[in-house]
Amino acid sequence: MEFTDSLTIALSKGRIFEQALPLLAHAGIEPRDDPESSRKLILETNQPHVKLVIIRASDVPTYVQYGAADLGVAGKDVLMEQGSAGLYEPLDLRIARCRMMVAGVPEADLGPDRLRIATKYVASTERHFAAKGQQVEIIKLYGSMELAPLVGLSDLIVDLVESGNTLEANGLVPLEHIADISSRLVVNKATWKMKHRSVMALLEVLREAVAKV
Ligand code: ATP
Ligand code: MG
């Protein structure tokens, strides 16, 4: 397909970019550069009106909310954490799938009050334990959550789990399921109105692509 409106699509490099590529290709969008080897943050595509901007996964909703990008690909984990006020979330792309889990050592006790939980997902963790009526102390980390229970920083962690290999390599096990995670297409609200036909056309081909792969 050909796009007549200009569209800027925000996505992060790594797994989301790699897994979004076939979906974009199905929509006739092919980037001219590879973000893994290029240092460019704005990638032109074969479509004169479509460009990609490469940003941190957790920054995608911000770019789209403010209209700096028309569309974006964001993990449900990021959307759960930041809220999706100010943007539409019309399509589950079913890529970068994993689960948000509570994990700990196999003999971990989930019972006691004021468990200490290390995570980068503070809001999601708070909601999960509040829903169970359990008070927890949350310690915000930015990565390598698996280390925290091993060195006594926390009793448990909340993190994303795909195969469980990283947990296992550190002697941890998944203990409780919080949410199934995948990447979602997000759309700026003004774009939705002003570039309606292009967005609808893109949505339709992406929906087809998701059903295929
Ligand atoms: P940064 O590394 O820049 O701090 P990040 O760790 O969130 O950001 P990635 O690890 O590339 O970046 O994760 C990007 C998105 O991919 C996450 O928001 C999540 O939706 C998804 N994701 C993260 N880890 C996994 C995983 N193990 N399996 C599948 N999807 C994952
Ligand atoms: Mg990471």
Side-chain angles (χ1 to χ4, degrees):
M1 68 183 283
E2 254 183 59
F3 297 91
T4 45
D5 291 307
S6 72
L7 291 177
T8 300
I9 306 174
L11 67 183
S12 52
K13 58 180 175 184
R15 52 166 67 81
I16 288 186
F17 183 86
E18 282 153 27
Q19 295 178 30
L21 264 188
L23 301 178
L24 291 172
H26 189 87
I29 299 169
E30 287 168 29
R32 294 234 184 270
D33 278 296
D34 173 3
E36 298 304 334
S37 52
S38 157
R39 293 181 185 209
K40 286 185 186 163
L41 300 176
I42 301 179
L43 303 186
E44 303 296 330
T45 71
N46 61 320
Q47 298 271 356
H49 293 105
V50 180
K51 63 186 181 218
L52 309 182
V53 291
I54 305 300
I55 56 184
R56 286 282 291 262
S58 47
D59 289 335
V60 169
T62 306
Y63 276 73
V64 175
Q65 258 159 26
Y66 284 89
D70 295 292
L71 304 126
V73 178
K76 187 67 186 173
D77 52 318
V78 169
L79 295 168
M80 282 168 53
E81 198 54 26
Q82 305 186 3
S84 41
L87 39 80
Y88 295 121
E89 193 191 312
L91 182 62
D92 183 350
L93 297 171
R94 301 178 65 81
I95 59 171
R97 292 166 77 172
C98 54
R99 286 152 292 139
M100 189 182 289
M101 303 283 301
V102 180
V105 295
E107 60 278 14
D109 181 0
L110 285 97
D113 276 354
R114 291 216 69 77
L115 278 169
R116 282 162 67 154
I117 313 215
T119 187
K120 86 179 186 193
Y121 299 106
V122 172
S124 306
T125 300
E126 225 149 43
R127 268 201 305 274
H128 174 74
F129 285 96
K132 302 201 305 163
Q134 199 170 1
Q135 284 235 332
V136 292
E137 182 183 345
I138 297 172
I139 300 172
K140 163 90 186 182
L141 293 179
Y142 294 87
S144 303
M145 267 74 82
E146 298 81 9
L147 181 62
L150 304 180
V151 295
L153 178 60
S154 71
D155 302 300
L156 301 169
I157 63 172
V158 166
D159 199 4
L160 302 183
V161 180
E162 190 177 17
S163 63
N165 288 343
T166 309
L167 289 180
E168 197 188 342
N170 291 291
L172 303 178
V173 292
L175 297 167
E176 272 182 7
H177 177 268
I178 297 180
D180 288 324
I181 302 296
S182 58
S183 295
R184 312 301 163 101
L185 184 75
V186 292
V187 184
N188 172 266
K189 286 189 171 174
T191 295
W192 185 274
K193 264 198 240 155
M194 310 293 286
K195 303 179 182 177
H196 196 71
R197 295 180 99 192
S198 298
V199 172
M200 289 305 128
L202 178 59
L203 254 178
E204 191 181 321
V205 284
L206 286 176
R207 223 174 248 128
E208 258 174 40
V210 171
K212 260 193 186 172
V213 286

